[in-house]
Amino acid sequence: MQTPSSTRSEARREPSFGSRVVRDFRRNKLIYLMLLPVVAFYAVFHYGPMYGIQMAFKNFSAGLGIAGSPWTGLDHFQAFFSSFFFERVIVNTVLLGLYDLIFVFPASIVLALLLNEVRNRIFKRTVQSITYLPHFISVVVVVGMMVDFLSMDGLINQLIVYFGGQPLSFLRLPDWFRFLYTSSAVWQGIGWGSIIYLAAMSNIDQSLYEAARVDGAGRLRQVLSITLPGIMPTIIILFILRIGALMALQDEKILLMYNPMTYETADVIGTYVYRKGILEANYSFSAAVGLFNSVINCALLFAANYLSRRFSDTRLL
């Protein structure tokens, strides 16, 4: 039987939290050293700039600085909500984000499922290499390729004319912008996005497939009953992250693709912030719009995580 004094002595002998941290740091100092550049990057380029969030609530003046600029409260937010462009940029941003969820996100899953069923290693690696390559092409180059192919005398219009059609100025037609943006995103990201799903499939117990074949299950049934459930936690986690970035689009790609003739369907929050903040030097207003966008993305992330935790065993937080 332990006495109170022996219990106290054991508690004194147990290392404190600080000593455990120091001991772990000494044991894994090389790993922490490798982590240091990543921490420094996020501290300098992500957490440090958060000091400037207060610009959204001030009438910023470069001469007075952020701290010396007068407070305006929620005036910039009210101006954005009552702006003529509010509905347009919100609708375009949400629609492009939904197209990303509906078409771009599942494309990588479908490709990974198809590649997982390929038994010829040479063919499989060839397809993987071909689908990975577009990811490493610069966005500027991708848009330049689109401009060349879709111009009035480009390859696409030449094929249209050859088959008896009329050439179209695709990049100047608002109705074509969302299709071009989404399809190019699928082409550029489908191969790279499939890597993580192929890695998740490699961890599935192969005895499950053997048992399914013994029971007479075909390839499709094996995919539906074993492969998809096996990678479902990975799909859910990536889906939650994608929902959290629903309104965080590839703004640089849109800036390169759009023009005043396609503002109707191409103007999104990111491009609106660029025009207001950089071109018009309205820094406080653009900071307010950017903060609004970030808050919406954060709310969507927590909502998606809550629903995932409510209806499944997989969650992000």
Side-chain angles (χ1 to χ4, degrees):
M1 181 175 180
Q2 291 184 340
T3 62
S5 59
S6 62
T7 304
R8 286 194 297 269
S9 63
E10 290 179 2
R12 285 196 298 269
R13 287 196 298 269
E14 184 178 347
S16 63
F17 174 77
S19 62
R20 291 199 302 269
V21 171
V22 173
R23 184 184 306 170
D24 183 71
F25 180 80
R26 289 175 178 174
R27 185 185 302 116
N28 305 300
K29 57 184 177 181
L30 294 179
I31 298 178
Y32 285 108
L33 186 62
M34 293 174 59
L35 185 64
L36 185 60
V38 179
V39 175
F41 172 81
Y42 279 94
V44 173
F45 295 103
H46 289 265
Y47 289 98
M50 291 179 69
Y51 171 78
I53 288 178
Q54 57 185 304
M55 288 175 57
F57 307 95
K58 290 188 171 186
N59 187 13
F60 175 73
S61 172
L64 298 175
I66 297 178
S69 299
W71 292 93
T72 59
L74 300 177
D75 290 351
H76 297 302
F77 295 92
Q78 294 174 356
F80 174 57
F81 297 150
S82 59
S83 170
F84 169 78
F85 302 101
F86 174 75
E87 182 179 356
R88 184 177 75 180
V89 298
I90 292 296
V91 170
N92 290 338
T93 304
V94 172
L95 283 179
L96 287 178
L98 290 176
Y99 287 174
D100 182 87
L101 284 176
I102 297 172
F103 299 106
V104 182
F105 180 76
S108 298
I109 302 174
V110 173
L111 178 63
L113 292 173
L114 294 175
L115 289 175
N116 189 57
E117 296 300 316
V118 175
R119 296 295 175 257
N120 189 319
R121 286 192 173 186
I122 297 178
F123 177 77
K124 181 177 181 179
R125 291 177 180 176
T126 302
V127 173
Q128 285 179 305
S129 299
I130 293 174
T131 55
Y132 292 169
L133 286 177
H135 173 77
F136 300 99
I137 302 177
S138 169
V139 174
V140 177
V141 176
V142 171
V143 176
M145 294 168 59
M146 295 174 63
V147 171
D148 290 337
F149 289 144
L150 299 173
S151 62
M152 293 298 291
D153 57 349
L155 176 63
I156 303 300
N157 274 316
Q158 289 182 16
L159 292 175
I160 292 175
V161 172
Y162 178 80
F163 288 104
Q166 295 294 325
L168 297 173
S169 183
F170 291 97
L171 293 177
R172 295 185 179 182
L173 297 175
D175 295 338
W176 278 93
F177 180 85
R178 291 168 185 160
F179 171 79
L180 295 175
Y181 175 86
T182 305
S183 57
S184 61
V186 171
W187 174 74
Q188 192 172 14
I190 184 173
W192 185 256
S194 65
I195 293 177
I196 191 169
Y197 300 112
L198 290 171
M201 292 175 191
S202 64
N203 293 324
I204 299 176
D205 189 357
Q206 296 301 310
S207 62
L208 296 176
Y209 293 101
E210 296 175 1
R213 285 192 292 269
V214 170
D215 292 339
R219 301 285 286 273
L220 180 59
R221 175 52 59 185
Q222 293 177 37
V223 169
L224 296 177
S225 301
I226 300 175
T227 308
L228 272 178
I231 64 173
M232 190 56 65
T234 303
I235 295 175
I236 292 176
I237 292 297
L238 294 179
F239 187 72
I240 293 173
L241 293 174
R242 188 64 67 92
I243 289 180
L246 178 70
M247 301 180 71
L249 305 173
Q250 289 183 291
D251 299 330
E252 65 278 6
K253 183 177 180 180
I254 298 176
L255 284 170
L256 293 168
M257 287 180 60
Y258 84 157
N259 55 73
M261 299 182 67
T262 59
Y263 279 174
E264 179 184 347
T265 57
D267 195 19
V268 296
I269 291 179
T271 57
Y272 184 66
V273 169
Y274 169 78
R275 291 202 309 275
K276 286 292 184 180
I278 303 299
L279 301 183
E280 300 181 14
N282 194 346
Y283 303 114
S284 294
F285 183 83
S286 61
V289 178
L291 179 59
F292 166 77
N293 190 26
S294 299
V295 170
I296 295 299
N297 281 327
C298 185
L300 290 173
L301 176 64
F302 280 100
N305 183 72
Y306 172 77
L307 293 176
S308 176
R309 182 176 56 185
R310 181 79 178 272
F311 297 105
S312 69
D313 296 330
T314 305
R315 61 180 181 176
L316 183 62
L317 302 172

